[in-house]
Coordinates of all heavy atoms in Angstrom, one line a residue:
M1 N -16.6 4.6 -10.2 CA -16.0 3.5 -10.9 C -14.9 2.9 -10.0 O -14.2 3.6 -9.3 CB -15.3 4.0 -12.2 CG -15.3 2.9 -13.2 SD -14.5 3.5 -14.7 CE -12.8 3.2 -14.3
S2 N -14.8 1.5 -10.0 CA -13.8 0.9 -9.1 C -12.4 1.0 -9.7 O -12.3 1.2 -10.9 CB -14.2 -0.6 -8.9 OG -14.1 -1.3 -10.1
D3 N -11.4 0.8 -8.9 CA -10.0 0.9 -9.3 C -9.5 -0.5 -9.7 O -8.7 -0.6 -10.6 CB -9.2 1.4 -8.2 CG -9.6 2.8 -7.8 OD1 -9.7 3.7 -8.7 OD2 -9.8 3.1 -6.6
F4 N -10.0 -1.5 -9.1 CA -9.6 -2.9 -9.4 C -10.8 -3.8 -9.2 O -11.7 -3.5 -8.5 CB -8.5 -3.4 -8.4 CG -7.3 -2.5 -8.3 CD1 -7.2 -1.6 -7.3 CD2 -6.3 -2.7 -9.3 CE1 -6.0 -0.8 -7.2 CE2 -5.1 -1.9 -9.2 CZ -5.0 -0.9 -8.2
T5 N -10.7 -5.0 -9.8 CA -11.5 -6.1 -9.3 C -10.7 -6.8 -8.2 O -9.5 -6.8 -8.2 CB -11.9 -7.1 -10.4 OG1 -10.7 -7.8 -10.9 CG2 -12.6 -6.4 -11.6
F6 N -11.4 -7.4 -7.3 CA -10.8 -8.1 -6.2 C -9.8 -9.2 -6.7 O -8.7 -9.4 -6.2 CB -11.8 -8.7 -5.2 CG -11.2 -9.1 -3.9 CD1 -10.8 -8.3 -3.0 CD2 -11.1 -10.5 -3.7 CE1 -10.3 -8.7 -1.8 CE2 -10.5 -11.0 -2.5 CZ -10.1 -10.1 -1.5
D7 N -10.3 -9.8 -7.8 CA -9.5 -10.9 -8.3 C -8.2 -10.5 -9.0 O -7.3 -11.3 -9.1 CB -10.3 -11.7 -9.4 CG -11.6 -12.3 -8.9 OD1 -11.6 -12.5 -7.6 OD2 -12.5 -12.5 -9.6
Q8 N -8.1 -9.2 -9.3 CA -6.9 -8.7 -9.9 C -5.8 -8.6 -8.9 O -4.6 -8.5 -9.3 CB -7.1 -7.2 -10.5 CG -7.6 -7.2 -11.9 CD -7.9 -5.7 -12.2 OE1 -8.4 -4.9 -11.5 NE2 -7.4 -5.3 -13.4
L9 N -6.2 -8.4 -7.6 CA -5.2 -8.2 -6.6 C -4.8 -9.6 -6.0 O -5.6 -10.3 -5.5 CB -5.8 -7.3 -5.5 CG -6.2 -5.9 -6.0 CD1 -7.0 -5.2 -4.9 CD2 -5.0 -5.1 -6.4
E10 N -3.5 -9.8 -6.0 CA -3.0 -11.0 -5.5 C -2.5 -10.8 -4.0 O -1.8 -9.8 -3.8 CB -1.8 -11.5 -6.4 CG -1.4 -12.9 -6.1 CD -0.2 -13.3 -7.1 OE1 -0.2 -12.8 -8.2 OE2 0.6 -14.1 -6.6
S11 N -2.8 -11.6 -3.1 CA -2.5 -11.4 -1.7 C -0.9 -11.3 -1.6 O -0.2 -12.1 -2.1 CB -3.0 -12.5 -0.9 OG -2.9 -12.1 0.5
G12 N -0.5 -10.2 -0.9 CA 0.9 -10.0 -0.7 C 1.7 -9.4 -1.8 O 2.9 -9.2 -1.8
K13 N 1.0 -9.0 -2.9 CA 1.7 -8.4 -4.1 C 1.1 -7.0 -4.3 O 0.1 -6.8 -4.9 CB 1.4 -9.3 -5.4 CG 1.9 -10.7 -5.3 CD 3.3 -10.7 -6.0 CE 3.9 -12.1 -6.0 NZ 4.6 -12.4 -4.7
P14 N 1.9 -6.0 -3.8 CA 1.3 -4.6 -3.9 C 1.3 -4.1 -5.4 O 2.1 -4.5 -6.2 CB 2.3 -3.8 -3.1 CG 3.5 -4.7 -2.9 CD 3.1 -6.1 -3.1
V15 N 0.4 -3.2 -5.6 CA 0.4 -2.6 -6.9 C 0.3 -1.1 -6.7 O -0.3 -0.6 -5.7 CB -0.8 -3.1 -7.8 CG1 -0.6 -4.5 -8.3 CG2 -2.1 -2.9 -7.1
K16 N 0.8 -0.4 -7.7 CA 0.8 1.1 -7.6 C -0.4 1.6 -8.4 O -0.7 1.2 -9.5 CB 2.1 1.6 -8.3 CG 2.2 3.1 -8.2 CD 3.6 3.4 -8.8 CE 3.8 4.9 -8.9 NZ 5.2 5.2 -9.4
L17 N -1.1 2.6 -7.8 CA -2.3 3.2 -8.3 C -2.1 4.7 -8.4 O -1.7 5.3 -7.4 CB -3.5 2.9 -7.5 CG -4.8 3.6 -7.8 CD1 -5.4 3.2 -9.1 CD2 -5.9 3.5 -6.7
E18 N -2.3 5.3 -9.6 CA -2.3 6.7 -9.7 C -3.7 7.2 -9.7 O -4.5 6.8 -10.5 CB -1.6 7.1 -11.0 CG -0.2 6.6 -11.3 CD 0.9 7.3 -10.5 OE1 0.5 8.4 -9.9 OE2 2.0 6.9 -10.5
K19 N -4.0 8.0 -8.7 CA -5.4 8.5 -8.6 C -5.4 9.9 -7.9 O -4.7 10.1 -6.9 CB -6.2 7.5 -7.7 CG -7.7 7.8 -7.7 CD -8.5 6.7 -7.1 CE -10.0 7.0 -7.1 NZ -10.8 5.9 -6.5
A20 N -6.2 10.7 -8.4 CA -6.4 12.1 -7.9 C -5.0 12.8 -7.6 O -4.8 13.4 -6.6 CB -7.2 12.0 -6.6
G21 N -4.1 12.6 -8.6 CA -2.8 13.2 -8.5 C -1.8 12.6 -7.4 O -0.8 13.1 -7.1
K22 N -2.2 11.4 -6.9 CA -1.4 10.8 -5.9 C -0.9 9.4 -6.4 O -1.6 8.8 -7.2 CB -2.2 10.6 -4.6 CG -2.5 11.8 -3.9 CD -3.3 11.5 -2.6 CE -3.8 12.8 -1.9 NZ -2.7 13.6 -1.4
S23 N 0.2 9.0 -5.9 CA 0.7 7.6 -6.1 C 0.4 6.8 -4.9 O 0.9 7.2 -3.8 CB 2.2 7.6 -6.4 OG 2.4 8.3 -7.6
I24 N -0.3 5.7 -5.0 CA -0.8 5.0 -3.9 C -0.4 3.5 -4.0 O -0.5 3.0 -5.1 CB -2.4 5.1 -3.8 CG1 -2.7 6.6 -3.6 CG2 -2.9 4.3 -2.6 CD1 -4.2 6.9 -3.8
C25 N 0.0 2.9 -2.9 CA 0.4 1.5 -2.9 C -0.8 0.7 -2.4 O -1.2 0.9 -1.2 CB 1.6 1.4 -2.0 SG 2.1 -0.3 -1.7
V26 N -1.3 -0.1 -3.2 CA -2.5 -0.9 -2.8 C -2.1 -2.4 -2.6 O -1.5 -3.0 -3.5 CB -3.6 -0.8 -4.0 CG1 -4.8 -1.6 -3.6 CG2 -4.0 0.6 -4.2
T27 N -2.4 -2.9 -1.5 CA -2.0 -4.2 -1.1 C -3.1 -5.0 -0.5 O -3.8 -4.6 0.4 CB -0.9 -4.2 -0.1 OG1 0.1 -3.3 -0.5 CG2 -0.2 -5.6 0.1
R28 N -3.3 -6.2 -1.1 CA -4.3 -7.1 -0.6 C -3.6 -8.1 0.4 O -2.5 -8.6 0.1 CB -4.9 -7.9 -1.7 CG -5.9 -9.0 -1.2 CD -6.5 -9.8 -2.4 NE -6.9 -11.1 -1.9 CZ -7.3 -12.1 -2.7 NH1 -7.1 -12.0 -4.0 NH2 -7.7 -13.2 -2.1
V29 N -4.2 -8.2 1.6 CA -3.7 -9.2 2.5 C -4.9 -10.1 2.9 O -5.8 -9.7 3.6 CB -3.1 -8.6 3.8 CG1 -2.6 -9.6 4.8 CG2 -2.0 -7.6 3.4
G30 N -4.9 -11.3 2.3 CA -6.0 -12.2 2.5 C -7.3 -11.5 2.0 O -7.4 -11.2 0.8
D31 N -8.3 -11.3 2.8 CA -9.6 -10.8 2.4 C -9.6 -9.3 2.5 O -10.6 -8.6 2.2 CB -10.7 -11.3 3.2 CG -11.0 -12.8 2.9 OD1 -10.5 -13.2 1.8 OD2 -11.6 -13.5 3.8
E32 N -8.5 -8.6 3.0 CA -8.5 -7.2 3.2 C -7.6 -6.5 2.2 O -6.7 -7.1 1.6 CB -8.0 -6.9 4.6 CG -8.9 -7.4 5.7 CD -8.3 -7.1 7.1 OE1 -7.5 -7.9 7.5 OE2 -8.8 -6.1 7.7
V33 N -7.9 -5.2 1.9 CA -7.1 -4.5 1.0 C -6.8 -3.1 1.7 O -7.6 -2.5 2.3 CB -7.8 -4.2 -0.3 CG1 -7.0 -3.4 -1.3 CG2 -8.2 -5.5 -1.0
F34 N -5.5 -2.8 1.6 CA -5.0 -1.6 2.2 C -4.4 -0.6 1.2 O -3.8 -1.1 0.2 CB -3.9 -1.9 3.3 CG -4.5 -2.9 4.3 CD1 -4.2 -4.2 4.2 CD2 -5.2 -2.4 5.4 CE1 -4.8 -5.1 5.2 CE2 -5.8 -3.3 6.3 CZ -5.5 -4.6 6.2
A35 N -4.5 0.7 1.5 CA -3.9 1.7 0.6 C -3.1 2.7 1.4 O -3.7 3.3 2.4 CB -5.1 2.4 -0.2
I36 N -1.9 2.8 1.0 CA -1.0 3.8 1.7 C -0.3 4.6 0.6 O -0.2 4.1 -0.5 CB 0.0 3.2 2.7 CG1 1.0 2.3 2.0 CG2 -0.7 2.4 3.8 CD1 2.1 1.8 2.9
D37 N 0.3 5.7 1.0 CA 1.1 6.5 0.0 C 2.2 5.6 -0.6 O 2.8 4.8 0.2 CB 1.8 7.7 0.7 CG 0.9 8.9 0.7 OD1 0.0 9.0 -0.1 OD2 1.1 9.7 1.6
D38 N 2.4 5.7 -1.9 CA 3.4 4.8 -2.5 C 4.9 5.3 -2.3 O 5.8 4.5 -2.3 CB 3.1 4.7 -4.0 CG 4.0 3.7 -4.7 OD1 3.9 2.5 -4.3 OD2 4.8 4.0 -5.5
T39 N 5.1 6.6 -2.0 CA 6.4 7.1 -1.9 C 6.9 6.9 -0.5 O 6.2 7.5 0.4 CB 6.5 8.5 -2.4 OG1 6.0 8.6 -3.7 CG2 8.0 9.0 -2.4
C40 N 8.0 6.2 -0.3 CA 8.5 6.1 1.1 C 8.8 7.4 1.7 O 9.2 8.4 1.0 CB 9.9 5.3 0.9 SG 10.7 4.9 2.5
S41 N 8.6 7.5 3.0 CA 8.8 8.8 3.7 C 10.2 9.1 4.0 O 10.6 10.1 4.5 CB 7.9 8.9 5.0 OG 8.3 7.8 5.9
H42 N 11.1 8.1 3.7 CA 12.5 8.3 3.9 C 13.2 9.0 2.7 O 14.0 9.9 2.8 CB 13.2 7.0 4.2 CG 14.7 7.1 4.3 ND1 15.6 6.5 3.5 CD2 15.5 7.8 5.2 CE1 16.8 6.8 3.9 NE2 16.8 7.6 4.9
S43 N 12.9 8.5 1.5 CA 13.4 9.1 0.3 C 12.5 8.7 -0.9 O 11.4 8.2 -0.7 CB 14.8 8.6 0.0 OG 15.5 9.4 -1.0
E44 N 13.0 8.9 -2.1 CA 12.1 8.7 -3.3 C 12.1 7.2 -3.8 O 12.7 6.9 -4.8 CB 12.6 9.6 -4.4 CG 12.4 11.1 -4.2 CD 10.9 11.5 -4.2 OE1 10.2 11.0 -5.1 OE2 10.5 12.2 -3.3
A45 N 11.5 6.3 -3.0 CA 11.4 5.0 -3.5 C 9.9 4.6 -3.5 O 9.1 5.0 -2.7 CB 12.1 4.0 -2.6
S46 N 9.6 3.7 -4.5 CA 8.2 3.3 -4.6 C 7.9 2.0 -3.8 O 8.5 1.0 -4.0 CB 8.0 3.0 -6.1 OG 6.7 2.5 -6.3
L47 N 7.1 2.2 -2.8 CA 6.9 1.1 -1.9 C 6.2 -0.1 -2.6 O 6.3 -1.3 -2.1 CB 6.0 1.5 -0.7 CG 6.7 2.3 0.3 CD1 5.7 2.7 1.4 CD2 7.9 1.6 0.9
S48 N 5.5 0.1 -3.6 CA 4.8 -1.0 -4.3 C 5.8 -2.0 -4.9 O 5.4 -3.1 -5.4 CB 3.8 -0.5 -5.3 OG 4.4 0.4 -6.2
E49 N 7.1 -1.6 -5.0 CA 8.1 -2.5 -5.4 C 8.8 -3.2 -4.2 O 9.8 -3.9 -4.4 CB 9.2 -1.7 -6.2 CG 8.6 -1.2 -7.5 CD 9.5 -0.2 -8.2 OE1 10.8 -0.3 -8.1 OE2 9.0 0.7 -8.8
G50 N 8.2 -3.0 -3.0 CA 8.8 -3.6 -1.8 C 8.2 -5.0 -1.5 O 7.3 -5.5 -2.2
E51 N 8.7 -5.5 -0.4 CA 8.3 -6.9 0.0 C 7.2 -6.8 1.1 O 7.4 -6.0 2.0 CB 9.4 -7.6 0.7 CG 10.5 -8.1 -0.3 CD 10.0 -9.4 -1.0 OE1 9.6 -10.3 -0.3 OE2 10.0 -9.4 -2.2
V52 N 6.2 -7.6 1.0 CA 5.1 -7.6 2.0 C 5.3 -8.9 2.9 O 5.5 -9.9 2.3 CB 3.7 -7.6 1.3 CG1 2.6 -7.9 2.4 CG2 3.5 -6.3 0.6
S53 N 5.2 -8.7 4.2 CA 5.1 -9.9 5.0 C 4.1 -9.5 6.1 O 4.2 -8.5 6.8 CB 6.4 -10.2 5.7 OG 6.9 -9.2 6.4
G54 N 3.0 -10.4 6.1 CA 1.9 -10.1 7.1 C 1.3 -8.7 6.7 O 1.0 -8.5 5.5
F55 N 1.2 -7.8 7.7 CA 0.6 -6.5 7.5 C 1.7 -5.5 7.3 O 1.5 -4.3 7.4 CB -0.3 -6.1 8.6 CG -1.5 -6.9 8.7 CD1 -1.7 -8.0 9.6 CD2 -2.6 -6.7 7.8 CE1 -2.8 -8.7 9.7 CE2 -3.7 -7.5 7.8 CZ -3.9 -8.5 8.7
K56 N 3.0 -5.9 7.0 CA 4.1 -5.0 6.9 C 4.5 -4.9 5.4 O 4.5 -5.9 4.7 CB 5.2 -5.4 7.8 CG 5.0 -5.2 9.2 CD 6.3 -5.4 10.0 CE 6.8 -6.8 9.9 NZ 7.9 -7.1 10.8
I57 N 5.0 -3.7 5.0 CA 5.7 -3.6 3.7 C 7.1 -3.1 4.0 O 7.2 -2.1 4.8 CB 4.9 -2.8 2.7 CG1 5.5 -2.9 1.3 CG2 4.7 -1.4 3.2 CD1 4.5 -2.5 0.2
E58 N 8.1 -3.6 3.3 CA 9.4 -3.2 3.5 C 9.9 -2.4 2.2 O 9.8 -2.9 1.1 CB 10.3 -4.4 3.7 CG 11.8 -4.0 3.9 CD 12.7 -5.2 4.2 OE1 12.2 -6.2 4.6 OE2 13.9 -5.1 3.8
C59 N 10.4 -1.2 2.4 CA 11.0 -0.5 1.3 C 12.2 -1.2 0.8 O 13.1 -1.5 1.5 CB 11.3 0.9 1.8 SG 12.0 2.0 0.5
W60 N 12.2 -1.3 -0.5 CA 13.3 -2.0 -1.2 C 14.7 -1.3 -1.1 O 15.7 -1.8 -1.2 CB 13.0 -2.4 -2.6 CG 12.7 -1.2 -3.5 CD1 11.5 -0.6 -3.6 CD2 13.6 -0.4 -4.2 NE1 11.6 0.6 -4.4 CE2 12.9 0.7 -4.8 CE3 15.0 -0.5 -4.4 CZ2 13.5 1.6 -5.6 CZ3 15.6 0.5 -5.2 CH2 14.9 1.5 -5.8
L61 N 14.6 0.1 -0.9 CA 15.8 0.9 -1.0 C 16.7 0.8 0.2 O 17.9 0.5 0.1 CB 15.4 2.3 -1.4 CG 16.6 3.2 -1.9 CD1 17.3 2.6 -3.0 CD2 16.0 4.5 -2.4
H62 N 16.1 1.1 1.4 CA 17.0 1.0 2.6 C 16.3 0.2 3.7 O 16.8 0.2 4.8 CB 17.3 2.4 3.2 CG 17.8 3.4 2.1 ND1 17.0 4.4 1.7 CD2 19.0 3.5 1.5 CE1 17.7 5.1 0.8 NE2 18.9 4.6 0.6
G63 N 15.3 -0.5 3.4 CA 14.7 -1.5 4.4 C 13.8 -1.0 5.4 O 13.4 -1.7 6.3
A64 N 13.3 0.3 5.3 CA 12.3 0.7 6.3 C 11.0 -0.1 6.1 O 10.7 -0.5 5.0 CB 12.0 2.2 6.1
E65 N 10.4 -0.4 7.3 CA 9.1 -1.1 7.2 C 8.0 -0.2 7.7 O 8.1 0.6 8.6 CB 9.2 -2.4 8.1 CG 10.1 -3.4 7.6 CD 10.2 -4.6 8.6 OE1 10.5 -4.3 9.7 OE2 9.9 -5.7 8.1
F66 N 6.8 -0.4 7.0 CA 5.6 0.4 7.4 C 4.5 -0.6 7.6 O 4.4 -1.7 7.0 CB 5.2 1.3 6.2 CG 6.2 2.3 5.9 CD1 7.3 2.1 5.0 CD2 6.2 3.6 6.5 CE1 8.2 3.1 4.8 CE2 7.1 4.6 6.3 CZ 8.1 4.3 5.4
D67 N 3.6 -0.2 8.5 CA 2.4 -1.0 8.8 C 1.3 -0.6 7.7 O 1.0 0.6 7.6 CB 1.8 -0.6 10.2 CG 0.7 -1.6 10.6 OD1 -0.2 -1.9 9.8 OD2 0.8 -2.1 11.8
L68 N 0.9 -1.6 7.0 CA -0.1 -1.3 5.9 C -1.4 -0.8 6.4 O -2.2 -0.1 5.7 CB -0.3 -2.6 5.1 CG 0.8 -3.1 4.2 CD1 0.6 -4.5 3.7 CD2 1.0 -2.1 3.0
R69 N -1.7 -1.2 7.7 CA -3.0 -0.8 8.2 C -3.1 0.6 8.7 O -4.1 1.3 8.6 CB -3.4 -1.8 9.4 CG -3.4 -3.2 9.0 CD -3.4 -4.1 10.2 NE -2.1 -4.1 10.8 CZ -1.7 -4.9 11.8 NH1 -2.6 -5.8 12.2 NH2 -0.5 -4.8 12.3
T70 N -1.9 1.1 9.2 CA -1.9 2.4 9.8 C -1.0 3.4 9.1 O -1.1 4.6 9.4 CB -1.5 2.3 11.3 OG1 -0.1 1.8 11.3 CG2 -2.4 1.4 12.1
G71 N -0.1 2.9 8.3 CA 0.9 3.8 7.7 C 2.1 4.1 8.6 O 3.1 4.7 8.2
E72 N 2.0 3.6 9.8 CA 3.1 3.8 10.8 C 4.5 3.3 10.3 O 4.6 2.2 9.7 CB 2.8 3.1 12.1 CG 3.7 3.3 13.2 CD 3.5 2.4 14.4 OE1 2.5 1.6 14.4 OE2 4.3 2.4 15.3
A73 N 5.5 4.1 10.5 CA 6.9 3.7 10.2 C 7.4 2.9 11.4 O 7.5 3.3 12.5 CB 7.8 4.9 10.0
I74 N 7.6 1.6 11.1 CA 8.0 0.7 12.2 C 9.5 0.6 12.3 O 10.0 0.3 13.4 CB 7.4 -0.8 11.8 CG1 5.9 -0.7 11.6 CG2 7.7 -1.7 13.0 CD1 5.4 -2.0 11.0
T75 N 10.2 0.7 11.2 CA 11.6 0.4 11.3 C 12.4 1.6 10.6 O 12.0 2.1 9.6 CB 12.0 -0.9 10.4 OG1 11.1 -1.9 10.8 CG2 13.4 -1.3 10.7
L76 N 13.5 2.0 11.2 CA 14.3 3.0 10.6 C 14.9 2.5 9.3 O 14.9 1.3 9.1 CB 15.5 3.4 11.6 CG 15.0 4.1 12.9 CD1 16.2 4.3 13.8 CD2 14.4 5.5 12.5
P77 N 15.3 3.3 8.4 CA 15.6 4.7 8.5 C 14.3 5.7 8.4 O 14.5 6.9 8.5 CB 16.6 5.0 7.4 CG 16.3 4.0 6.4 CD 15.9 2.8 7.1
A78 N 13.2 5.1 8.1 CA 12.0 6.0 8.0 C 11.4 6.2 9.4 O 11.4 5.3 10.2 CB 10.9 5.4 7.1
N79 N 11.0 7.4 9.7 CA 10.4 7.6 11.0 C 9.2 8.5 10.9 O 8.6 9.0 11.9 CB 11.4 8.2 12.0 CG 12.0 9.5 11.5 OD1 11.6 10.1 10.5 ND2 13.1 9.9 12.2
I80 N 8.7 8.7 9.6 CA 7.5 9.5 9.4 C 6.4 8.6 8.9 O 6.7 7.9 7.9 CB 7.8 10.7 8.5 CG1 8.8 11.6 9.0 CG2 6.5 11.5 8.2 CD1 9.4 12.6 8.0
A81 N 5.2 8.6 9.4 CA 4.1 7.8 9.0 C 3.7 8.2 7.6 O 3.8 9.4 7.2 CB 3.0 7.9 10.0
L82 N 3.1 7.3 6.9 CA 2.6 7.5 5.5 C 1.0 7.7 5.7 O 0.4 7.1 6.6 CB 2.8 6.4 4.6 CG 4.3 6.1 4.3 CD1 4.5 4.8 3.5 CD2 4.9 7.3 3.5
A83 N 0.5 8.5 4.8 CA -1.0 8.6 4.8 C -1.6 7.3 4.3 O -1.0 6.5 3.5 CB -1.4 9.7 3.8
T84 N -2.7 7.0 4.9 CA -3.5 5.8 4.5 C -4.8 6.3 3.9 O -5.3 7.4 4.2 CB -3.8 4.8 5.7 OG1 -4.6 5.6 6.6 CG2 -2.5 4.3 6.3
Y85 N -5.5 5.4 3.1 CA -6.7 5.8 2.5 C -7.7 4.7 2.6 O -7.3 3.5 2.6 CB -6.5 6.0 0.9 CG -5.4 7.0 0.7 CD1 -4.1 6.7 0.6 CD2 -5.7 8.4 0.6 CE1 -3.1 7.6 0.4 CE2 -4.8 9.4 0.5 CZ -3.4 9.0 0.3 OH -2.4 9.9 0.2
P86 N -9.0 5.0 2.9 CA -10.0 4.0 3.0 C -10.2 3.2 1.7 O -10.1 3.8 0.6 CB -11.3 4.7 3.4 CG -10.9 6.2 3.4 CD -9.5 6.4 3.0
V87 N -10.4 2.0 1.8 CA -10.7 1.1 0.7 C -12.0 0.5 0.8 O -12.4 -0.1 1.9 CB -9.6 0.0 0.6 CG1 -9.9 -0.9 -0.6 CG2 -8.2 0.6 0.5
R88 N -12.8 0.6 -0.2 CA -14.2 0.0 -0.2 C -14.2 -1.2 -1.1 O -13.8 -1.2 -2.3 CB -15.2 1.0 -0.7 CG -16.6 0.5 -0.7 CD -17.6 1.7 -0.7 NE -17.3 2.7 -1.7 CZ -17.6 2.7 -2.9 NH1 -18.4 1.7 -3.4 NH2 -17.3 3.6 -3.8
I89 N -14.6 -2.3 -0.5 CA -14.7 -3.6 -1.3 C -16.2 -3.9 -1.4 O -16.9 -4.0 -0.4 CB -14.0 -4.7 -0.6 CG1 -12.5 -4.4 -0.4 CG2 -14.1 -6.0 -1.4 CD1 -11.8 -5.4 0.5
D90 N -16.6 -4.0 -2.6 CA -18.1 -4.1 -2.9 C -18.2 -5.3 -3.9 O -17.8 -5.1 -5.0 CB -18.6 -2.8 -3.5 CG -20.1 -2.8 -3.5 OD1 -20.7 -3.7 -3.0 OD2 -20.6 -1.8 -4.1
A91 N -18.6 -6.4 -3.4 CA -18.7 -7.6 -4.2 C -17.3 -7.8 -4.8 O -16.3 -8.0 -4.0 CB -19.7 -7.6 -5.3
N92 N -17.1 -7.7 -6.1 CA -15.7 -8.0 -6.7 C -15.0 -6.7 -7.0 O -14.0 -6.7 -7.6 CB -15.9 -8.9 -7.9 CG -14.5 -9.4 -8.4 OD1 -13.7 -9.7 -7.5 ND2 -14.4 -9.6 -9.7
S93 N -15.6 -5.5 -6.6 CA -14.9 -4.3 -7.0 C -14.2 -3.6 -5.8 O -14.8 -3.6 -4.7 CB -15.8 -3.4 -7.7 OG -16.9 -3.0 -6.9
V94 N -13.0 -3.1 -6.1 CA -12.2 -2.5 -5.0 C -12.0 -1.0 -5.4 O -11.5 -0.7 -6.5 CB -10.9 -3.2 -4.9 CG1 -10.0 -2.6 -3.9 CG2 -11.1 -4.7 -4.6
T95 N -12.3 -0.1 -4.5 CA -12.2 1.3 -4.7 C -11.4 2.0 -3.6 O -11.7 1.8 -2.4 CB -13.5 2.0 -4.9 OG1 -14.3 1.2 -5.8 CG2 -13.4 3.4 -5.3
V96 N -10.3 2.7 -4.0 CA -9.6 3.5 -3.0 C -10.3 4.8 -2.9 O -10.5 5.5 -4.0 CB -8.1 3.7 -3.4 CG1 -7.4 4.6 -2.4 CG2 -7.5 2.3 -3.5
E97 N -10.7 5.2 -1.7 CA -11.5 6.5 -1.6 C -10.6 7.6 -1.2 O -10.0 7.6 -0.2 CB -12.6 6.2 -0.6 CG -13.5 5.1 -1.0 CD -14.7 5.0 -0.2 OE1 -14.6 5.1 1.0 OE2 -15.8 4.7 -0.7
I98 N -10.5 8.6 -2.1 CA -9.7 9.8 -1.9 C -10.6 11.0 -1.9 O -11.3 11.2 -2.9 CB -8.6 9.9 -3.0 CG1 -7.7 8.7 -2.9 CG2 -7.8 11.2 -2.7 CD1 -6.5 8.8 -3.9
Ligands
FES1 S1 13.8 5.2 0.6 FE1 12.6 3.8 1.7 S2 13.9 3.3 3.4 FE2 15.1 4.8 2.3

C-alpha cells in the first residue's frame, strides 16, 4: 500500500510519516520525493517542521542543514548524517521503502 498520493505532497513542504516504528521526514522537491530520518542528529527536533530550500532541509531548533538526497549533515551543529530511505513513485502513489 502506498504512503501518499503524489498530489498530497506539496513541493518544499515536508511531512512526517510514522512507518515500521520509525519517524521519517518525507519531502517532495519538484518531481522527486526524498525520505530521511525525521529526528535531527543533533538533538530531539522534528525535521519535518523545518525549512526546505532546494535539496536542503534546515532544522528549526539550532539551524543545522541536511542534504535531503544523501542525509549528509551540511551545517553545524549537526555533524552526523541521517539515514535515508528509498522512495518509489508509481503513477500517483508514493511509497517509502523500509
Ligand atoms: S536539534 Fe537540530 S540542530 Fe539542534
Side-chain angles (χ1 to χ4, degrees):
M1 209 183 83
S2 65
D3 297 310
F4 304 98
T5 64
F6 191 75
D7 299 338
Q8 270 179 317
L9 299 170
E10 193 180 328
S11 192
K13 295 268 181 278
V15 290
K16 183 174 174 178
L17 170 70
E18 303 284 352
K19 186 169 181 180
K22 295 180 184 294
S23 298
I24 299 165
C25 172
V26 179
T27 310
R28 176 181 160 194
V29 180
D31 290 339
E32 296 177 278
V33 179
F34 302 97
I36 64 173
D37 274 338
D38 188 62
T39 306
C40 183
S41 61
H42 178 241
S43 190
E44 292 289 315
S46 176
L47 284 180
S48 52
E49 293 168 32
E51 283 283 309
V52 172
S53 59
F55 292 105
K56 289 188 299 192
I57 189 162
E58 180 180 335
C59 179
W60 59 272
L61 195 50
H62 310 109
E65 291 176 304
F66 296 88
D67 190 314
L68 290 167
R69 300 166 293 187
T70 62
E72 182 192 354
I74 305 168
T75 312
L76 293 173
N79 56 12
I80 300 167
L82 296 170
T84 61
Y85 303 91
V87 178
R88 185 158 44 87
I89 303 174
D90 192 6
N92 193 35
S93 62
V94 177
T95 308
V96 177
E97 299 187 321
I98 298 184

